[in-house]
Amino acid sequence: MPKATETVLEINLKYLEQNYKYLKSKLQPKTMFLAVVKAFAYGSDQVQIAKKITELGADYLAVAYTSEGVAIRKAGIQTPILVLHPQEVNFEEIVAYNLEPSIYSDRVLNQFIAYASSINKQNYPIHLKFNTGLNRLGFLEVDIDQIIKKITETEAIKVASAFSHMAASEDLTEKEFTDQQIQCFKTISNTLDGLLGYSPIKHMCNTSGILNYPDAHFNMVRSGIGLYGFGNDVKYDVYLKPIASLKTVISQLHYLEPNQSVGYNMAYKVTNKMITATLPVGHADGIGRIYGNQKGFVFINGKKAPILGNTCMDMIMVNVTNIDCKEGDEVIVFNETYTADALATAAGTISYELVTGISQRVKRVFNF
Ligand SMILES: *Cc1c(COP(=O)(O)O)cnc(C)c1O
Protein backbone atom coordinates (compact mmCIF):
# COMPACT_ATOMS: atom_id res chain seq x y z
CA MET A 1 0.00 0.00 0.00
CA PRO A 2 1.28 3.50 -0.80
CA LYS A 3 1.52 5.93 2.15
CA ALA A 4 -1.76 7.64 3.02
CA THR A 5 -2.11 11.18 1.66
CA GLU A 6 -5.58 11.75 3.17
CA THR A 7 -7.73 9.96 5.72
CA VAL A 8 -8.41 6.42 4.50
CA LEU A 9 -9.57 3.12 5.90
CA GLU A 10 -7.49 0.38 4.33
CA ILE A 11 -9.09 -3.03 4.28
CA ASN A 12 -6.91 -6.07 3.91
CA LEU A 13 -8.86 -8.99 2.44
CA LYS A 14 -5.91 -11.37 2.85
CA TYR A 15 -6.20 -10.91 6.59
CA LEU A 16 -9.92 -11.61 6.32
CA GLU A 17 -9.04 -14.91 4.68
CA GLN A 18 -6.49 -15.71 7.36
CA ASN A 19 -8.99 -14.93 10.15
CA TYR A 20 -11.70 -16.98 8.48
CA LYS A 21 -9.37 -19.97 8.13
CA TYR A 22 -8.29 -19.69 11.74
CA LEU A 23 -11.87 -19.62 13.00
CA LYS A 24 -12.80 -22.50 10.67
CA SER A 25 -9.92 -24.53 12.11
CA LYS A 26 -11.71 -24.36 15.48
CA LEU A 27 -14.84 -26.03 14.06
CA GLN A 28 -15.82 -29.57 13.27
CA PRO A 29 -15.67 -30.09 9.49
CA LYS A 30 -19.47 -30.17 9.16
CA THR A 31 -20.20 -27.12 11.30
CA MET A 32 -21.55 -24.30 9.17
CA PHE A 33 -20.17 -20.78 9.29
CA LEU A 34 -22.33 -17.68 9.38
CA ALA A 35 -20.43 -14.45 8.74
CA VAL A 36 -21.89 -11.44 10.51
CA VAL A 37 -21.61 -8.49 8.13
CA LYS A 38 -23.88 -6.02 9.94
CA ALA A 39 -22.93 -2.36 10.42
CA PHE A 40 -21.01 -2.18 7.11
CA ALA A 41 -19.18 -5.38 8.07
CA TYR A 42 -18.02 -3.83 11.33
CA GLY A 43 -17.20 -0.53 9.71
CA SER A 44 -15.28 -1.96 6.74
CA ASP A 45 -17.39 -2.60 3.62
CA GLN A 46 -20.33 -4.97 3.61
CA VAL A 47 -20.31 -5.76 -0.11
CA GLN A 48 -16.59 -6.49 -0.46
CA ILE A 49 -16.57 -8.53 2.73
CA ALA A 50 -19.75 -10.44 1.84
CA LYS A 51 -18.28 -11.25 -1.59
CA LYS A 52 -14.94 -12.42 -0.25
CA ILE A 53 -16.34 -14.42 2.65
CA THR A 54 -18.81 -16.16 0.36
CA GLU A 55 -15.98 -17.05 -2.04
CA LEU A 56 -14.07 -18.45 0.92
CA GLY A 57 -17.00 -20.72 1.71
CA ALA A 58 -19.16 -19.08 4.39
CA ASP A 59 -22.58 -20.74 4.41
CA TYR A 60 -24.67 -17.87 5.69
CA LEU A 61 -24.50 -14.12 6.19
CA ALA A 62 -26.23 -12.06 8.87
CA VAL A 63 -27.12 -8.39 9.08
CA ALA A 64 -28.98 -6.49 11.77
CA TYR A 65 -31.29 -4.40 9.61
CA THR A 66 -33.15 -5.21 6.43
CA SER A 67 -31.54 -2.35 4.47
CA GLU A 68 -28.14 -3.93 5.06
CA GLY A 69 -29.32 -7.18 3.53
CA VAL A 70 -30.88 -5.37 0.57
CA ALA A 71 -27.54 -3.67 -0.19
CA ILE A 72 -25.81 -7.05 -0.27
CA ARG A 73 -28.45 -8.54 -2.58
CA LYS A 74 -28.21 -5.52 -4.89
CA ALA A 75 -24.51 -6.33 -5.28
CA GLY A 76 -25.53 -9.71 -6.68
CA ILE A 77 -24.64 -11.90 -3.71
CA GLN A 78 -26.90 -14.94 -3.44
CA THR A 79 -25.79 -16.42 -0.09
CA PRO A 80 -28.63 -16.89 2.45
CA ILE A 81 -28.93 -13.80 4.64
CA LEU A 82 -30.37 -13.79 8.15
CA VAL A 83 -31.81 -10.44 9.24
CA LEU A 84 -31.27 -10.37 12.98
CA HIS A 85 -33.57 -7.53 13.92
CA PRO A 86 -36.45 -6.92 11.50
CA GLN A 87 -39.71 -5.04 12.06
CA GLU A 88 -43.08 -5.59 10.42
CA VAL A 89 -42.53 -2.61 8.14
CA ASN A 90 -39.56 -4.49 6.60
CA PHE A 91 -41.36 -7.71 5.64
CA GLU A 92 -42.14 -6.71 2.07
CA GLU A 93 -38.46 -5.97 1.33
CA ILE A 94 -37.35 -9.06 3.22
CA VAL A 95 -39.36 -11.29 0.94
CA ALA A 96 -38.66 -9.26 -2.21
CA TYR A 97 -34.91 -9.63 -1.64
CA ASN A 98 -35.05 -13.19 -0.41
CA LEU A 99 -33.83 -12.33 3.09
CA GLU A 100 -34.63 -14.50 6.10
CA PRO A 101 -36.08 -12.86 9.20
CA SER A 102 -35.22 -13.62 12.79
CA ILE A 103 -38.54 -14.10 14.56
CA TYR A 104 -38.05 -13.07 18.15
CA SER A 105 -41.48 -12.51 19.64
CA ASP A 106 -45.07 -13.59 19.39
CA ARG A 107 -45.96 -10.23 17.91
CA VAL A 108 -43.42 -10.62 15.09
CA LEU A 109 -44.37 -14.27 14.52
CA ASN A 110 -48.04 -13.37 14.07
CA GLN A 111 -47.18 -10.48 11.79
CA PHE A 112 -44.86 -12.56 9.61
CA ILE A 113 -47.25 -15.49 9.30
CA ALA A 114 -50.01 -13.05 8.31
CA TYR A 115 -47.79 -11.38 5.71
CA ALA A 116 -46.33 -14.57 4.23
CA SER A 117 -49.83 -16.10 4.02
CA SER A 118 -51.27 -12.98 2.39
CA ILE A 119 -48.84 -13.33 -0.52
CA ASN A 120 -49.26 -17.12 -0.68
CA LYS A 121 -45.73 -18.01 0.35
CA GLN A 122 -44.99 -21.63 1.18
CA ASN A 123 -42.21 -22.76 3.52
CA TYR A 124 -40.66 -19.30 3.71
CA PRO A 125 -37.49 -19.69 5.82
CA ILE A 126 -37.53 -18.04 9.23
CA HIS A 127 -35.13 -18.20 12.17
CA LEU A 128 -36.45 -18.56 15.71
CA LYS A 129 -34.54 -16.53 18.25
CA PHE A 130 -34.50 -17.76 21.86
CA ASN A 131 -33.61 -15.74 24.92
CA THR A 132 -31.49 -17.90 27.22
CA GLY A 133 -30.23 -15.13 29.50
CA LEU A 134 -29.15 -12.06 27.58
CA ASN A 135 -32.65 -10.63 27.95
CA ARG A 136 -32.43 -8.67 24.73
CA LEU A 137 -34.51 -10.43 22.05
CA GLY A 138 -36.12 -13.82 21.82
CA PHE A 139 -38.76 -16.30 22.90
CA LEU A 140 -38.48 -18.15 26.19
CA GLU A 141 -38.37 -21.90 26.59
CA VAL A 142 -41.93 -21.82 27.98
CA ASP A 143 -43.19 -20.28 24.72
CA ILE A 144 -42.23 -23.27 22.56
CA ASP A 145 -45.53 -25.18 22.56
CA GLN A 146 -47.48 -22.13 21.55
CA ILE A 147 -45.01 -21.03 18.84
CA ILE A 148 -44.75 -24.47 17.28
CA LYS A 149 -48.51 -24.82 17.23
CA LYS A 150 -48.78 -21.64 15.16
CA ILE A 151 -45.91 -22.66 12.89
CA THR A 152 -47.24 -26.16 12.18
CA GLU A 153 -50.73 -24.80 11.50
CA THR A 154 -49.52 -22.73 8.55
CA GLU A 155 -47.88 -23.73 5.27
CA ALA A 156 -46.46 -20.24 4.83
CA ILE A 157 -43.29 -20.55 6.87
CA LYS A 158 -40.66 -23.08 7.77
CA VAL A 159 -38.06 -22.95 10.53
CA ALA A 160 -34.64 -22.78 8.87
CA SER A 161 -32.86 -22.38 12.18
CA ALA A 162 -33.24 -21.83 15.89
CA PHE A 163 -30.67 -19.76 17.71
CA SER A 164 -29.68 -18.00 20.86
CA HIS A 165 -27.00 -15.52 21.84
CA MET A 166 -24.48 -15.68 24.67
CA ALA A 167 -24.32 -12.84 27.17
CA ALA A 168 -20.68 -13.16 28.25
CA SER A 169 -18.88 -15.60 25.97
CA GLU A 170 -15.65 -13.58 26.21
CA ASP A 171 -15.68 -13.47 30.01
CA LEU A 172 -14.55 -16.76 31.51
CA THR A 173 -15.40 -15.59 35.02
CA GLU A 174 -19.02 -15.95 33.85
CA LYS A 175 -18.52 -19.49 32.58
CA GLU A 176 -21.18 -20.87 34.89
CA PHE A 177 -23.77 -18.50 33.43
CA THR A 178 -22.75 -19.36 29.87
CA ASP A 179 -22.92 -23.08 30.62
CA GLN A 180 -26.47 -22.55 31.88
CA GLN A 181 -27.34 -20.74 28.66
CA ILE A 182 -25.90 -23.63 26.63
CA GLN A 183 -27.86 -26.17 28.68
CA CYS A 184 -31.04 -24.18 28.24
CA PHE A 185 -30.52 -23.96 24.47
CA LYS A 186 -29.89 -27.72 24.28
CA THR A 187 -33.22 -28.35 25.97
CA ILE A 188 -34.94 -25.90 23.63
CA SER A 189 -33.34 -27.58 20.60
CA ASN A 190 -34.50 -31.04 21.61
CA THR A 191 -38.04 -29.95 22.37
CA LEU A 192 -38.20 -28.04 19.12
CA ASP A 193 -37.05 -30.98 16.97
CA GLY A 194 -39.56 -33.23 18.66
CA LEU A 195 -42.49 -30.88 18.07
CA LEU A 196 -41.54 -29.81 14.54
CA GLY A 197 -40.80 -33.29 13.23
CA TYR A 198 -37.69 -31.96 11.47
CA SER A 199 -34.41 -30.57 12.70
CA PRO A 200 -33.58 -26.96 11.83
CA ILE A 201 -30.01 -25.62 12.06
CA LYS A 202 -29.05 -24.69 15.64
CA HIS A 203 -26.56 -21.97 16.53
CA MET A 204 -25.55 -19.90 19.52
CA CYS A 205 -21.82 -19.05 19.42
CA ASN A 206 -20.44 -15.67 18.44
CA THR A 207 -16.66 -15.26 18.02
CA SER A 208 -15.77 -15.70 21.69
CA GLY A 209 -18.26 -18.55 21.93
CA ILE A 210 -16.42 -20.28 19.07
CA LEU A 211 -13.10 -19.84 20.84
CA ASN A 212 -14.17 -20.56 24.42
CA TYR A 213 -17.06 -23.03 24.10
CA PRO A 214 -16.12 -25.68 21.52
CA ASP A 215 -18.90 -27.96 22.76
CA ALA A 216 -21.56 -25.36 22.00
CA HIS A 217 -21.01 -24.97 18.26
CA PHE A 218 -24.17 -26.97 17.38
CA ASN A 219 -24.62 -27.00 13.54
CA MET A 220 -23.46 -23.47 12.88
CA VAL A 221 -21.53 -20.58 14.46
CA ARG A 222 -21.88 -16.84 13.91
CA SER A 223 -18.72 -14.79 13.75
CA GLY A 224 -18.29 -11.07 13.39
CA ILE A 225 -15.43 -9.52 15.34
CA GLY A 226 -13.11 -12.52 14.83
CA LEU A 227 -13.35 -12.19 11.06
CA TYR A 228 -12.35 -8.57 11.39
CA GLY A 229 -9.34 -9.54 13.47
CA PHE A 230 -10.19 -9.37 17.17
CA GLY A 231 -10.47 -12.35 19.49
CA ASN A 232 -11.37 -10.46 22.67
CA ASP A 233 -8.22 -11.83 24.31
CA VAL A 234 -4.54 -11.07 23.69
CA LYS A 235 -3.80 -14.77 23.22
CA TYR A 236 -5.50 -14.60 19.80
CA ASP A 237 -3.47 -11.61 18.61
CA VAL A 238 -1.00 -13.88 16.82
CA TYR A 239 -3.74 -15.68 14.89
CA LEU A 240 -6.29 -12.97 14.15
CA LYS A 241 -5.19 -9.91 12.19
CA PRO A 242 -7.20 -6.67 12.20
CA ILE A 243 -8.33 -6.20 8.60
CA ALA A 244 -8.89 -2.44 8.83
CA SER A 245 -6.25 0.26 9.19
CA LEU A 246 -7.23 3.88 9.71
CA LYS A 247 -4.58 6.18 8.33
CA THR A 248 -4.33 9.91 7.91
CA VAL A 249 -1.72 12.64 7.34
CA ILE A 250 -0.25 15.65 9.08
CA SER A 251 -1.98 18.74 7.66
CA GLN A 252 -0.09 21.34 9.66
CA LEU A 253 2.48 21.65 12.43
CA HIS A 254 2.22 24.35 15.12
CA TYR A 255 5.03 25.58 17.35
CA LEU A 256 3.46 26.62 20.65
CA GLU A 257 4.69 28.54 23.67
CA PRO A 258 3.78 28.15 27.36
CA ASN A 259 0.35 29.60 28.24
CA GLN A 260 -1.06 29.05 24.77
CA SER A 261 -3.86 26.52 24.42
CA VAL A 262 -4.95 23.93 21.90
CA GLY A 263 -8.40 23.53 20.40
CA TYR A 264 -11.95 24.41 21.40
CA ASN A 265 -12.56 25.75 24.89
CA MET A 266 -8.83 25.92 25.56
CA ALA A 267 -9.07 22.32 26.70
CA TYR A 268 -5.30 21.75 26.51
CA LYS A 269 -3.04 24.32 28.18
CA VAL A 270 0.56 24.40 26.98
CA THR A 271 3.12 24.43 29.81
CA ASN A 272 6.39 23.84 27.97
CA LYS A 273 7.29 24.66 24.37
CA MET A 274 5.41 22.21 22.26
CA ILE A 275 4.95 21.09 18.66
CA THR A 276 1.49 19.92 17.65
CA ALA A 277 0.24 18.29 14.47
CA THR A 278 -3.27 18.83 13.15
CA LEU A 279 -4.81 15.79 11.46
CA PRO A 280 -7.90 15.59 9.21
CA VAL A 281 -9.85 13.08 11.27
CA GLY A 282 -12.44 13.92 13.93
CA HIS A 283 -15.56 12.84 15.69
CA ALA A 284 -17.55 12.91 12.44
CA ASP A 285 -15.14 10.25 11.17
CA GLY A 286 -15.61 8.07 14.23
CA ILE A 287 -12.88 9.32 16.54
CA GLY A 288 -15.28 10.47 19.23
CA ARG A 289 -14.74 12.94 22.02
CA ILE A 290 -13.88 10.10 24.41
CA TYR A 291 -10.50 9.89 22.63
CA GLY A 292 -9.71 13.53 23.41
CA ASN A 293 -7.72 14.95 26.29
CA GLN A 294 -4.85 12.47 25.93
CA LYS A 295 -6.96 9.35 26.41
CA GLY A 296 -6.46 8.49 22.75
CA PHE A 297 -3.35 8.62 20.57
CA VAL A 298 -2.04 8.03 17.07
CA PHE A 299 1.31 6.81 15.76
CA ILE A 300 3.64 8.89 13.61
CA ASN A 301 6.90 7.41 12.31
CA GLY A 302 6.56 4.66 14.90
CA LYS A 303 6.04 6.99 17.86
CA LYS A 304 2.97 7.57 20.00
CA ALA A 305 1.35 11.01 19.76
CA PRO A 306 -1.43 11.71 22.32
CA ILE A 307 -4.56 13.60 21.25
CA LEU A 308 -4.59 17.07 22.85
CA GLY A 309 -7.75 18.80 24.04
CA ASN A 310 -11.16 18.15 22.57
CA THR A 311 -11.71 16.12 19.44
CA CYS A 312 -13.16 18.45 16.78
CA MET A 313 -15.70 17.33 14.20
CA ASP A 314 -13.16 17.05 11.40
CA MET A 315 -9.78 17.29 13.12
CA ILE A 316 -7.64 16.30 16.04
CA MET A 317 -4.45 17.88 17.31
CA VAL A 318 -1.70 15.64 18.63
CA ASN A 319 1.53 16.19 20.51
CA VAL A 320 4.54 15.60 18.25
CA THR A 321 7.13 17.53 20.31
CA ASN A 322 9.43 14.51 20.52
CA ILE A 323 8.66 13.01 17.13
CA ASP A 324 10.71 13.54 14.03
CA CYS A 325 7.98 14.41 11.51
CA LYS A 326 6.84 16.94 8.94
CA GLU A 327 3.66 18.11 7.25
CA GLY A 328 2.41 15.49 4.80
CA ASP A 329 3.74 12.55 6.82
CA GLU A 330 1.53 9.49 7.22
CA VAL A 331 -0.23 8.96 10.55
CA ILE A 332 -1.55 5.62 11.84
CA VAL A 333 -4.69 5.83 13.97
CA PHE A 334 -4.91 2.05 14.12
CA ASN A 335 -3.60 -0.90 12.13
CA GLU A 336 -2.50 -4.47 12.81
CA THR A 337 0.35 -3.28 15.05
CA TYR A 338 -1.28 -0.33 16.81
CA THR A 339 -4.64 -1.98 17.18
CA ALA A 340 -8.11 -0.50 17.36
CA ASP A 341 -8.53 -2.66 20.43
CA ALA A 342 -5.63 -0.93 22.21
CA LEU A 343 -6.90 2.53 21.26
CA ALA A 344 -10.48 1.70 22.28
CA THR A 345 -9.35 0.20 25.58
CA ALA A 346 -7.25 3.27 26.38
CA ALA A 347 -10.35 5.43 26.03
CA GLY A 348 -12.60 3.09 28.00
CA THR A 349 -14.51 1.46 25.16
CA ILE A 350 -14.21 -1.68 23.00
CA SER A 351 -12.90 -2.46 19.53
CA TYR A 352 -16.46 -3.14 18.31
CA GLU A 353 -17.50 0.46 18.98
CA LEU A 354 -14.40 2.04 17.47
CA VAL A 355 -14.39 0.05 14.22
CA THR A 356 -18.14 0.18 13.57
CA GLY A 357 -18.08 3.92 14.18
CA ILE A 358 -15.72 4.82 11.32
CA SER A 359 -18.10 6.90 9.29
CA GLN A 360 -19.00 6.47 5.67
CA ARG A 361 -17.25 9.65 4.58
CA VAL A 362 -13.88 7.99 5.21
CA LYS A 363 -12.69 6.55 1.92
CA ARG A 364 -12.29 2.76 1.91
CA VAL A 365 -9.35 1.32 -0.03
CA PHE A 366 -8.82 -2.39 -0.53
CA ASN A 367 -5.80 -4.62 -0.45
CA PHE A 368 -7.00 -7.75 -2.28
C1 LIG B 1 -23.39 -9.14 16.29
C2 LIG B 1 -23.84 -10.52 16.60
C3 LIG B 1 -22.96 -11.61 16.46
C4 LIG B 1 -21.48 -11.46 16.18
O1 LIG B 1 -20.79 -11.37 17.39
P1 LIG B 1 -19.18 -11.24 17.43
O2 LIG B 1 -18.87 -11.11 18.88
O3 LIG B 1 -18.86 -10.01 16.66
O4 LIG B 1 -18.64 -12.45 16.80
C5 LIG B 1 -23.48 -12.88 16.60
N1 LIG B 1 -24.78 -13.08 16.90
C6 LIG B 1 -25.64 -12.04 17.08
C7 LIG B 1 -27.06 -12.33 17.44
C8 LIG B 1 -25.20 -10.74 16.96
O5 LIG B 1 -26.04 -9.72 17.15
Side-chain angles (χ1 to χ4, degrees):
M1 278 278 168
K3 294 248 181 219
T5 50
E6 63 177 333
T7 303
V8 291
L9 190 73
E10 282 178 16
I11 296 153
N12 188 324
L13 295 170
K14 290 198 190 74
Y15 287 166
L16 180 74
E17 178 166 358
Q18 195 175 313
N19 299 336
Y20 173 73
K21 287 184 173 158
Y22 179 71
L23 292 164
K24 278 288 276 187
S25 77
K26 299 288 164 192
L27 309 182
Q28 298 295 319
K30 285 211 172 116
T31 308
M32 291 192 277
F33 194 102
L34 177 153
V36 181
V37 294
K38 64 192 178 191
F40 296 98
Y42 288 45
S44 59
D45 184 287
Q46 61 198 354
V47 168
Q48 293 291 347
I49 300 296
K51 270 197 181 134
K52 180 75 181 181
I53 208 72
T54 299
E55 276 168 32
L56 289 170
D59 304 279
Y60 248 95
L61 300 173
V63 293
Y65 300 153
T66 304
S67 57
E68 300 178 306
V70 170
I72 293 170
R73 283 283 180 262
K74 283 186 171 163
I77 295 160
Q78 306 289 331
T79 317
I81 301 176
L82 164 56
V83 180
L84 292 164
H85 201 166
Q87 305 292 346
E88 184 178 26
V89 67
N90 308 129
F91 291 165
E92 203 174 321
E93 268 196 317
I94 285 189
V95 173
Y97 286 93
N98 197 17
L99 307 172
E100 304 178 9
S102 160
I103 302 293
Y104 50 85
S105 72
D106 206 43
R107 175 183 70 96
V108 180
L109 178 63
N110 294 337
Q111 290 167 342
F112 195 73
I113 291 176
Y115 179 68
S117 306
S118 75
I119 53 168
N120 301 313
K121 283 285 163 192
Q122 286 203 335
N123 294 327
Y124 197 88
I126 62 149
H127 300 260
L128 289 178
K129 174 77 179 278
F130 286 92
N131 173 13
T132 55
L134 180 58
N135 293 325
R136 194 171 71 172
L137 285 181
F139 293 103
L140 294 171
E141 191 185 334
V142 297
D143 301 326
I144 296 184
D145 283 346
Q146 181 209 334
I147 313 166
I148 299 308
K149 187 163 179 294
K150 280 185 193 160
I151 292 172
T152 49
E153 275 171 1
T154 171
E155 303 267 278
I157 60 171
K158 185 177 168 154
V159 183
S161 89
F163 71 113
S164 189
H165 194 39
M166 292 172 168
S169 57
E170 75 282 16
D171 183 355
L172 290 173
T173 65
E174 298 293 356
K175 184 171 186 308
E176 205 177 314
F177 187 88
T178 307
D179 284 337
Q180 275 171 26
Q181 282 195 281
I182 296 167
Q183 215 35 61
C184 179
F185 188 60
K186 279 189 178 149
T187 309
I188 288 169
S189 296
N190 292 335
T191 313
L192 213 57
D193 286 2
L195 291 172
L196 278 173
Y198 58 91
S199 184
I201 302 167
K202 311 291 187 321
H203 47 118
M204 91 177 298
C205 283
N206 64 345
T207 299
S208 289
I210 296 170
L211 299 170
N212 293 330
Y213 295 92
D215 296 331
H217 291 177
F218 295 89
N219 316 110
M220 184 158 83
V221 296
R222 304 185 302 270
S223 178
I225 202 81
L227 286 175
Y228 307 108
F230 302 95
N232 297 330
D233 190 313
V234 289
K235 74 176 177 223
Y236 299 110
D237 287 0
V238 286
Y239 307 109
L240 298 171
K241 291 270 171 282
I243 71 161
S245 300
L246 182 63
K247 300 182 178 176
T248 186
V249 297
I250 297 178
S251 299
Q252 191 177 15
L253 294 176
H254 294 273
Y255 299 83
L256 304 179
E257 298 293 332
N259 298 320
Q260 289 189 297
S261 63
V262 180
Y264 285 131
N265 305 104
M266 291 88 235
Y268 184 82
K269 301 266 192 319
V270 178
T271 49
N272 297 309
K273 271 179 174 278
M274 173 177 259
I275 308 170
T276 67
T278 301
L279 317 176
V281 63
H283 64 70
D285 302 289
I287 304 303
R289 285 174 57 104
I290 57 164
Y291 296 97
N293 297 308
Q294 300 170 88
K295 291 226 172 66
F297 41 78
V298 300
F299 288 85
I300 301 173
N301 298 327
K303 289 209 165 140
K304 191 174 186 172
I307 299 172
L308 300 172
N310 292 316
T311 296
C312 309
M313 188 183 296
D314 316 302
M315 283 172 256
I316 53 177
M317 284 72 89
V318 300
N319 183 356
V320 295
T321 310
N322 298 314
I323 302 176
D324 183 17
C325 62
K326 59 183 189 308
E327 293 177 0
D329 278 2
E330 183 179 71
V331 176
I332 308 294
V333 183
F334 55 75
N335 66 4
E336 70 265 28
T337 309
Y338 309 118
T339 66
D341 189 50
L343 176 54
T345 303
T349 183
I350 56 174
S351 60
Y352 293 79
E353 185 181 46
L354 177 53
V355 297
T356 59
I358 302 308
S359 73
Q360 289 299 301
R361 79 172 180 182
V362 176
K363 185 171 156 192
R364 270 66 175 162
V365 295
F366 298 92
N367 196 339
F368 290 96

